[in-house]
Amino acid sequence: MSGDGRADGSWHAFALGDSCLFHLRDGVVRRAFPVEDVEGFGITPQLLGSRNHDTALVAERLRLAHGTLAPGDEVLLASDALAAWLLSPHHGHRAPGTVLATLAEVGDEPFTEWVEDQRARGLMRNDDVTLIRIRVRTEA
């Protein structure tokens, strides 16, 4: 990364399944992939079995994307229930990426409690929840 804020990093993603990648800048979603809005989540995602040998089906369902990164950007990988929450409009005045960034820093127990609260309030489906967060650092 250069020190002048210029975007000179990149991300590349290959999607096959129902998890989503989010590129965030200042807590705001710049790109969601492969699902771009909450309506894109259904109960029958384009999945493949672990023993599938149908290369044509794999090629048909595989999605590709890429983007550029700037210092301070974040990349999140979220399972479908959390991804749907992130794309939904019920976050109030806080950017959803900011909420998740804060939660990612507090540890497993508070994150689990937050997920349970969101489920109890009907704001998140009762499904598996996984979050991986990558922050793009600036050079010192």
Side-chain angles (χ1 to χ4, degrees), residues 25-82:
R25 184 165 292 151
D26 299 323
V28 177
V29 176
R30 293 179 54 86
R31 175 81 190 268
F33 170 75
V35 180
E36 297 178 2
D37 55 49
V38 72
E39 290 81 24
F41 289 97
I43 58 171
T44 55
Q46 294 280 329
L47 302 177
L48 294 173
S50 60
R51 297 175 191 240
N52 184 334
H53 299 288
D54 184 348
T55 56
L57 184 61
V58 171
E60 175 187 319
R61 293 187 177 176
L62 184 68
R63 300 290 180 256
L64 309 171
H66 60 88
T68 58
L69 295 167
D73 282 3
E74 295 181 275
V75 177
L76 305 178
L77 179 61
S79 56
D80 60 333
L82 186 55

Side-chain angles (χ1 to χ4, degrees), residues 43 79-82 84-85 112 115-130:
I43 58 171
S79 56
D80 60 333
L82 186 55
W85 177 89
T112 300
V115 168
E116 290 170 0
D117 175 67
Q118 295 302 294
R119 288 174 178 162
R121 294 172 47 198
L123 300 175
M124 185 182 296
R125 273 194 342 262
N126 187 7
D127 196 359
D128 62 295
V129 172
T130 301

Side-chain angles (χ1 to χ4, degrees), residues 69-110:
L69 295 167
D73 282 3
E74 295 181 275
V75 177
L76 305 178
L77 179 61
S79 56
D80 60 333
L82 186 55
W85 177 89
L86 187 61
L87 291 170
S88 64
H90 55 67
H91 305 292
H93 65 281
R94 292 185 70 193
T98 302
V99 173
L100 290 181
T102 301
L103 288 166
E105 293 177 0
V106 296
D108 292 343
E109 190 173 324

